[in-house]
Amino acid sequence: METYRVKVGAQGEIVLPLELRKIFGLVAEDTLDLCVDSEGKVFVRTAERSVRPLSDFFEDLIIGDLLADGCNGDCLKAKLLECKLKLSTVLDRLSEEAHRAHKNGQSVKWWETQALSPLGIKKTFDGTYNVMLTTRSIHDLAVLREEELSEIPEVFQNLELDPMAFKRLNGPYYETYRVSFRCRSKEYRVIYTVFAAENLITVLTIGAREVLYDRLNGIA
């Protein structure tokens, strides 16, 4: 069992180590419960999240992989935390990569991508934000079928208007969100980062939940 020692401040405050915050996906404004058992031991648990970590959305898939590898009991708990910690860093890495690509002129406006050109998209308005795709997200579009691609324009147009209206994912440094769309009863997700000062949205990855898990797990 890992032990983390913290000091109590003058006002009774404590600071959780960064590693713990990453493992459990804790961010500012999250609420914690302090539970005391009959032996006087104190346990901490999350009472209310202001923002959910990326790894929460894939926890069942992580556990499935670990069980298939023969992990159980304490091994399963330890490996689960290890895997969640790795995934928790992926969003910031992808956000930094996408922003750097955009700065280097290696991104394109979403309606100009070759994968969407067969849809004959005609831009009728300009939103507040520019939705930009990099090589990674363009590749994600290229593997989608035409019926799935047909849902993309509406998603991106909604992002142009208000990208922060959708579900926020935690990351220590960047504002990253996810929006979902359905096609033939299957749910797909678009994960993106908002750079509000630049009115910029960089799309990080697009795909079905299981596909995103394999993709992000491979990056981690």
Side-chain angles (χ1 to χ4, degrees), residues 8-63:
V8 179
Q11 302 298 319
E13 71 277 7
I14 61 174
V15 177
L16 296 179
L18 177 60
E19 184 178 5
L20 276 182
R21 299 200 303 271
K22 283 186 174 181
I23 289 174
F24 295 106
L26 298 174
V27 296
E29 307 303 326
D30 280 352
T31 302
L32 301 177
D33 283 337
L34 299 182
C35 308
V36 183
D37 68 8
S38 58
E39 298 179 358
K41 295 179 180 178
V42 178
F43 299 88
V44 181
R45 68 184 182 191
T46 303
E48 182 179 346
R49 291 190 187 278
S50 58
V51 179
R52 291 190 66 189
L54 172 70
S55 53
D56 272 11
F57 295 106
F58 301 120
E59 184 166 319
D60 60 321
L61 299 177
I62 298 173
I63 291 174

Side-chain angles (χ1 to χ4, degrees), residues 9-217:
Q11 302 298 319
E13 71 277 7
I14 61 174
V15 177
L16 296 179
L18 177 60
E19 184 178 5
L20 276 182
R21 299 200 303 271
K22 283 186 174 181
I23 289 174
F24 295 106
L26 298 174
V27 296
E29 307 303 326
D30 280 352
T31 302
L32 301 177
D33 283 337
L34 299 182
C35 308
V36 183
D37 68 8
S38 58
E39 298 179 358
K41 295 179 180 178
V42 178
F43 299 88
V44 181
R45 68 184 182 191
T46 303
E48 182 179 346
R49 291 190 187 278
S50 58
V51 179
R52 291 190 66 189
L54 172 70
S55 53
D56 272 11
F57 295 106
F58 301 120
E59 184 166 319
D60 60 321
L61 299 177
I62 298 173
I63 291 174
D65 282 350
L66 293 175
L67 289 174
D69 289 340
C71 288
N72 53 62
D74 290 340
C75 171
L76 178 62
K77 292 179 182 178
K79 286 290 186 181
L80 177 60
L81 290 180
E82 180 182 327
C83 292
K84 292 184 77 171
L85 177 59
K86 287 181 180 179
L87 273 181
S88 70
T89 65
V90 169
L91 287 183
D92 281 333
R93 287 169 53 194
L94 289 182
S95 297
E96 184 176 352
E97 173 190 289
H99 194 236
R100 184 168 56 248
H102 175 71
K103 289 292 189 181
N104 292 335
Q106 298 170 337
S107 63
V108 297
K109 297 174 181 177
W110 68 266
W111 67 88
E112 295 178 347
T113 58
Q114 186 174 355
L116 295 175
S117 59
L119 301 179
I121 299 167
K122 294 182 179 179
K123 284 281 290 179
T124 57
F125 70 95
D126 290 320
T128 305
Y129 290 82
N130 293 313
V131 178
M132 306 297 291
L133 306 180
T134 59
T135 302
R136 187 185 299 278
S137 50
I138 291 173
H139 178 268
D140 295 347
L141 284 178
V143 299
L144 294 178
R145 295 173 298 180
E146 185 173 344
E147 58 187 338
E148 296 157 354
L149 287 172
S150 66
E151 303 292 334
I152 294 292
E154 182 178 356
V155 172
F156 286 166
Q157 286 170 353
N158 287 334
L159 294 186
E160 288 179 326
L161 293 174
D162 188 3
M164 289 171 277
F166 302 98
K167 293 187 178 180
R168 172 89 185 269
L169 297 169
N170 81 308
Y173 307 112
Y174 297 101
E175 289 194 15
T176 305
Y177 298 77
R178 72 177 179 94
V179 59
S180 302
F181 66 93
R182 299 187 70 83
C183 181
R184 288 184 176 271
S185 74
K186 192 171 185 179
E187 190 168 17
Y188 296 80
R189 290 173 171 82
V190 177
I191 298 179
Y192 60 95
T193 299
V194 179
F195 297 92
E198 303 171 53
N199 291 337
L200 171 68
I201 297 167
T202 56
V203 178
L204 306 184
T205 188
I206 306 165
R209 179 170 172 266
E210 295 79 6
V211 173
L212 290 185
Y213 169 68
D214 289 338
R215 190 178 293 155
L216 297 174
N217 199 40

